[in-house]
Amino acid sequence: MRLGRDSYRVIRPEHPVVHASLYEGRYGPRLAVDKAATVDLAFAWWPAARSPRSLVYLPVRSGAPTCGEDYGGEGRKLDLVLLHHSLRFPVSRWKQVRARLAPSAAHTVTLPPNAFPVFSREEHRTDNHREFKDHLRWAVAADTLFLVGSRLAYEREADRVRGLAEDGPAQVVGHPETYCCTEITLGQWKMSAAHQRNPSAELHVDRCHEHWPAPQR
């Protein structure tokens, strides 16, 4: 779609993301999901890292209103947009972009084997180095949570997303009452004055017990 002199490519799921709810929590944004929504999140994460000219949009504000209630989901509901930092998209323009979205053509995305790299514990420790810059930044505008970063920033958090989608179902089968979740690191923990506008936070992604029930034994 075009907005003035600029054009934007918006990628979104063809089907509604029914059982997912993103809301502002007391300790940071929180996303409650069922099993299908974990796959939607994983499929969104991959093009966000590899398609620097795209906005990846998960419209979850209209999801089931009771998603996340078991974890105290009572804050403002949000949509989710993932984008590459090189796009330099002003989040203040999102409301205009969203209003101009028209029906679009459907395309099939097939993730390759081992789509997300795995980083060692030692590699993850570099996140705390002052000179490390590949953090996921975040912002909230127009009832939407934006995650913004480089390919490396997305890939360093991707194993958490993959683990929830691939390993979560087995955990629920083996331990029906398990607290199945993951935390995606946002911002920079050791901030300089230049990073005060983007303080550290975590996006908590939780299993919604109402819509992701344990199978009957």
Side-chain angles (χ1 to χ4, degrees):
M1 59 79 59
R2 295 195 63 84
L3 186 62
R5 296 181 178 181
D6 300 313
S7 61
Y8 300 105
R9 181 189 186 204
V10 180
I11 301 173
R12 53 184 169 174
E14 182 183 19
H15 61 274
V17 185
V18 179
H19 295 306
S21 183
L22 174 62
Y23 54 91
E24 290 180 316
R26 183 178 300 177
Y27 303 107
R30 202 148 196 166
L31 175 62
V33 292
D34 71 349
K35 184 165 60 173
T38 66
V39 178
D40 287 321
L41 180 61
F43 269 85
W45 208 263
W46 191 73
R50 293 171 172 265
S51 185
R53 303 301 302 170
S54 300
L55 297 155
V56 185
Y57 173 36
L58 288 178
V60 293
R61 273 190 302 158
S62 58
T66 55
C67 277
E69 282 190 343
D70 45 350
Y71 296 123
E74 55 188 18
R76 176 172 54 147
K77 294 193 70 173
L78 304 170
D79 286 330
L80 179 62
V81 170
L82 315 175
L83 64 142
H84 198 277
H85 65 170
S86 64
L87 187 59
R88 299 185 181 277
F89 176 75
V91 298
S92 60
R93 306 192 82 184
W94 173 243
K95 189 174 182 178
Q96 294 174 281
V97 171
R98 183 176 58 198
R100 288 166 170 78
L101 291 179
S104 53
H107 299 271
T108 300
V109 177
T110 303
L111 266 63
N114 303 316
F116 301 121
V118 177
F119 294 88
S120 67
R121 181 174 300 179
E122 188 62 34
E123 288 174 312
H124 274 297
R125 285 176 181 159
T126 62
D127 292 4
N128 296 322
H129 294 176
R130 185 175 295 275
E131 64 274 13
F132 185 80
K133 304 298 182 183
D134 285 287
H135 301 279
L136 279 177
R137 295 182 289 111
W138 63 280
V140 175
D143 296 317
T144 303
L145 172 67
F146 293 86
L147 303 188
V148 186
S150 65
R151 174 172 173 172
L152 179 59
Y154 278 104
E155 288 186 339
R156 291 179 76 87
E157 298 295 325
D159 195 52
R160 301 177 188 273
V161 178
R162 180 213 57 77
L164 189 64
E166 293 185 357
D167 304 332
Q171 293 177 18
V172 172
V173 171
H175 304 279
E177 299 305 318
T178 187
Y179 181 71
C180 188
C181 67
T182 192
E183 289 82 34
I184 296 170
T185 302
L186 308 176
Q188 185 174 358
W189 290 107
K190 293 184 178 180
M191 294 188 299
S192 63
H195 293 91
Q196 292 298 323
R197 291 185 178 180
N198 200 228
S200 61
E202 286 185 334
L203 169 59
H204 298 266
V205 187
D206 304 297
R207 166 197 170 198
C208 175
H209 285 259
E210 179 181 353
H211 300 111
W212 187 352
Q216 296 296 319
R217 294 182 179 274

